[in-house]
Amino acid sequence: GSQSAGAGSGRDLVLGAKTRHSDRVSTYAEHVWRDGPRETSLTRSYGVTYTPSQLWSFSGQIETGRVRDEVNGDFDRWALSASAQFDNGEDVTGFAKLEYREEDGLGSARDRETWLLSMGIDYQTHPSWHFLGSLDLVRSNSAEDDFRDGDYTRASIGYAYRPVATDRTNGLVRLTYVDDQPGEDQVSADGSVDGDRQRSLVFSADVIHELTETLT
């Protein structure tokens, strides 16, 4: 199928197939062509999913592709990832994913190694109360100088009120730590470079209450 991601963000064309070999093992292949405002890319992904029980599911994936960048030059990318999901069907769900990426371009300006880790847990301590935790880490090392390296950390813990009998009132108390240290040439979402470095600790409390069918 094809999908337009919105004005100015480019177009995606996705072709793929999934094969189920047994109740426990399935494989898939996917080709993604992307036409963006600054670059175009063709990526091929191949993966396998193993589900040994109703509690656990494990996946592995390899990805290769080439990115054509009119501004900074073309480069090849390959990535290897592994993930796991847990769901006991009652009060605990969680996931973890580890990925390694390597990029290779003309010269050393686009050469980069990147590690990514993402984890999350939802523990239902009571039918209406949930403990939430998440962790996202990125460590990106440039083949040139250290000032081109990029590090990102986001850790969050929270306690959520999600009543089972009625959803008129919901609440979330959360503590979030963010450490964002972009590299010198990292491109921000708005296309700018030299983004701000930040280290933040944020406490937030949110409550949503439905007063009437039309007023919340």
Side-chain angles (χ1 to χ4, degrees), residues 3 7 13 22 34 62 79 89 98 130 139-140 145 156 161 177 179:
Q3 179 181 2
L13 177 64
S22 68
R34 177 169 176 78
I62 186 170
L98 179 64
H130 294 253
R139 297 293 183 265
S140 187
D145 298 293
S156 176
Y161 175 62
Y177 171 77
D179 185 6

Side-chain angles (χ1 to χ4, degrees), residues 53-164:
S53 67
Q54 294 182 346
L55 296 177
W56 290 97
S57 178
F58 301 94
S59 298
Q61 176 179 291
I62 186 170
E63 176 183 303
T64 63
R66 169 163 292 183
V67 178
R68 300 191 180 278
D69 188 334
E70 298 178 356
V71 178
N72 299 308
D74 302 348
F75 63 93
D76 295 326
R77 171 189 291 157
W78 74 272
L80 186 65
S81 65
S83 61
Q85 292 184 325
F86 176 83
D87 186 351
N88 67 358
E90 296 179 359
D91 56 0
V92 179
T93 61
F95 74 92
K97 181 178 181 180
L98 179 64
E99 180 175 330
Y100 172 78
R101 295 181 188 173
E102 188 173 294
E103 297 170 356
D104 183 15
L106 296 176
S108 60
R110 295 308 299 263
D111 295 355
R112 182 174 295 273
E113 293 183 344
T114 304
W115 288 92
L116 305 99
L117 174 65
S118 182
M119 304 175 65
I121 186 173
D122 183 331
Y123 173 40
Q124 189 174 4
T125 60
H126 180 274
S128 298
W129 294 89
H130 294 253
F131 170 80
L132 307 174
S134 64
L135 175 65
D136 294 301
L137 293 175
V138 179
R139 297 293 183 265
S140 187
N141 299 316
S142 171
E144 291 194 321
D145 298 293
D146 291 344
F147 64 81
R148 295 186 183 273
D149 295 347
D151 293 338
Y152 176 80
T153 302
R154 185 181 189 276
S156 176
I157 57 173
Y159 208 49
Y161 175 62
R162 299 171 179 170
V164 177

Side-chain angles (χ1 to χ4, degrees), residues 175-186:
L175 185 66
T176 303
Y177 171 77
V178 178
D179 185 6
D180 188 7
Q181 307 295 324
E184 188 233 20
D185 55 354
Q186 180 171 309

